[in-house]
């Protein structure tokens, strides 16, 4: 297992945590990640675009001019596709763009994305962005900058962490997400991924193996 330092709201090291190799150190399957990301973006499409056919456009019930004798091409309606204001040929219609993606594929793609970030030391863990019980955007950003200076940060919080959520929700360089909603696209779009300790435990499903700061320092010697 690889380990990463855990910092507190003041930016000092509070220990270290082990990142399981089966999640944070696997071979990234780029075609798989591409397929999962495309499916996720497709599912986000509304699919409500609609163009009218010549049968749905208003007007054009009268033949514009007689069939023969004018020297012009014969026409039956001014709402035919070749006329301005006419119907659209093979235009978009409401549809469902979602693609079926098995859960195992989504999980494998997410593991590959997290492993890619972890190998470049771009996965961080923090105890909390705010000390105390009162939200503070200023304090949260200060704590975040102790971990990373990136302008594209994915912050993963536990599902019940209201304090940190309120503190960081207005910061434009941060994208907040719950641990249960973590996905491949958001990981790849962000330059850095920051977990709170609680969010990491929630994501792994079990408490991550933690070492106190003193033990971690001795192990690094």
């Amino acid at each position: 297992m690889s380990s990463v330092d855990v910092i507190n709201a003041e930016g000092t090291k509070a220990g270290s945590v082990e990142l399981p190799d089966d999640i944070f150190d696997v071979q990234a399957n780029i075609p798989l990640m591409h397929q999962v990301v495309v499916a996720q973006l497709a599912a986000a499409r509304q699919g409500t675009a609609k163009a009218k056919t010549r049968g749905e456009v208003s007007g054009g019930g009268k033949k514009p001019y007689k069939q023969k004798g004018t020297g012009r091409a014969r026409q039956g309606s001014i709402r035919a596709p070749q006329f301005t204001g006419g119907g659209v040929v093979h235009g978009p219609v409401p549809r469902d763009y979602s693609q079926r993606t098995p859960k195992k594929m989504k999980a494998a793609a997410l593991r590959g994305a997290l492993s890619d970030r972890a190998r470049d030391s771009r996965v961080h863990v923090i105890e909390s962005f705010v000390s105390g019980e009162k939200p503070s955007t200023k304090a949260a950003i200060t704590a975040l900058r102790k971990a990373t200076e990136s302008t594209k940060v994915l912050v993963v919080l536990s599902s019940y962490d209201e304090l940190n959520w309120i503190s960081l929700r207005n910061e434009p360089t941060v994208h907040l997400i719950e641990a249960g909603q973590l996905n491949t696209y958001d990981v790849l779009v962000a330059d850095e991924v920051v977990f709170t300790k609680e969010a990491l435990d929630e994501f792994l499903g079990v408490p991550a193996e933690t070492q106190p700061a003193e033990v971690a320092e001795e192990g690094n010697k």
Side-chain angles (χ1 to χ4, degrees), residues 32 35-36 39-40 99-106:
L32 174 62
Q35 181 178 346
V36 170
Q40 181 177 341
Q99 304 174 16
R100 180 183 177 274
T101 309
K103 291 181 180 179
K104 288 185 177 181
M105 290 178 59
K106 294 179 182 178

Side-chain angles (χ1 to χ4, degrees), residues 4 48 90 95 133 168 214:
V4 61
T48 56
H90 305 307
R95 54 167 292 192
E133 300 180 356
L168 286 170
E214 297 79 6

Side-chain angles (χ1 to χ4, degrees), residues 12-23:
T12 58
K13 183 177 178 180
S16 65
V17 65
E18 299 291 338
L19 301 179
D21 289 343
D22 59 343
I23 297 178

Side-chain angles (χ1 to χ4, degrees), residues 51-90:
K52 291 184 177 180
T53 66
R54 62 181 295 170
E56 297 169 328
V57 179
S58 62
K62 179 184 177 182
K63 189 174 177 66
Y65 45 81
K66 64 181 183 178
Q67 182 81 346
K68 295 178 178 293
T70 63
R72 302 177 64 183
R74 55 194 175 189
Q75 303 292 344
S77 171
I78 60 171
R79 292 297 178 244
Q82 67 269 26
F83 286 100
T84 301
V88 177
V89 181
H90 305 307

